[in-house]
């Protein structure tokens, strides 16, 4: 039986979908509505301490990275399903390579 990397790709797809579905609505409510409308008014010191914490940075990188891998997997199979099966390897390299590059950019932006 040939070895495959599909379980790894599917696990990243699943983790990205679950993490995004569970956290992005809460982030939209907090950052998109509650803070601009004045429902919550955190002090600068509190926000700076939260954003500067290593666990928050890790969460942001994980959210961006897993979201990108979720997108890459979904986009790859969408392109294959619409008839680009002959370009599957190229599509996979571009999609997952883009997710890896995006993860690197997220790490760079968050930790520097």
């Amino acid at each position: 039986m040939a070895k495959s990397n599909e379980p790894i790709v599917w696990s990243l797809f699943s983790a990205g979908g679950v993490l995004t579905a569970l956290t992005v609505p809460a982030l939209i409510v907090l950052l998109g509505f509650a803070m601009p409308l004045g429902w919550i008014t955190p002090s600068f010191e509190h926000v700076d301490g939260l954003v500067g914490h290593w666990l928050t940075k890790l969460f942001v990188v994980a959210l961006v990275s897993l979201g990108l891998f979720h997108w890459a997997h979904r986009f790859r199979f969408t392109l294959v399903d619409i008839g680009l099966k002959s370009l599957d390897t190229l599509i996979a390299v571009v999609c997952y390579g883009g997710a890896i590059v995006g993860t690197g950019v997220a790490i760079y932006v968050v930790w520097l």
Side-chain angles (χ1 to χ4, degrees):
M1 180 183 217
K3 291 188 178 187
S4 171
N5 64 354
E6 282 297 312
I8 296 169
V9 174
W10 277 101
S11 66
L12 290 172
F13 170 76
S14 176
V18 169
L19 184 64
T20 302
L22 290 176
T23 59
V24 168
L27 290 172
I28 289 172
V29 169
L30 287 174
L31 301 175
F33 294 107
M35 286 180 66
L37 294 175
W39 297 344
I40 55 174
T41 54
S43 66
F44 174 77
E45 293 80 20
H46 180 76
V47 172
D48 187 46
L50 178 65
V51 172
H53 195 269
W54 68 269
L55 196 55
T56 305
K57 292 179 179 184
L58 182 66
F59 170 75
V60 169
V61 169
L63 182 64
V64 170
S65 176
L66 292 174
L68 285 172
F69 277 101
H70 182 82
W71 162 83
H73 196 70
R74 186 174 291 270
F75 191 66
R76 172 190 173 199
F77 281 100
T78 299
L79 292 178
V80 168
D81 287 346
I82 63 171
L84 299 174
K85 178 83 173 146
S86 62
L87 299 173
D88 184 38
T89 304
L90 176 64
I91 292 170
V93 168
V94 170
C95 287
Y96 298 127
I100 291 169
V101 168
T103 299
V105 169
I107 291 169
Y108 177 78
V109 167
V110 167
W111 258 284
L112 292 181

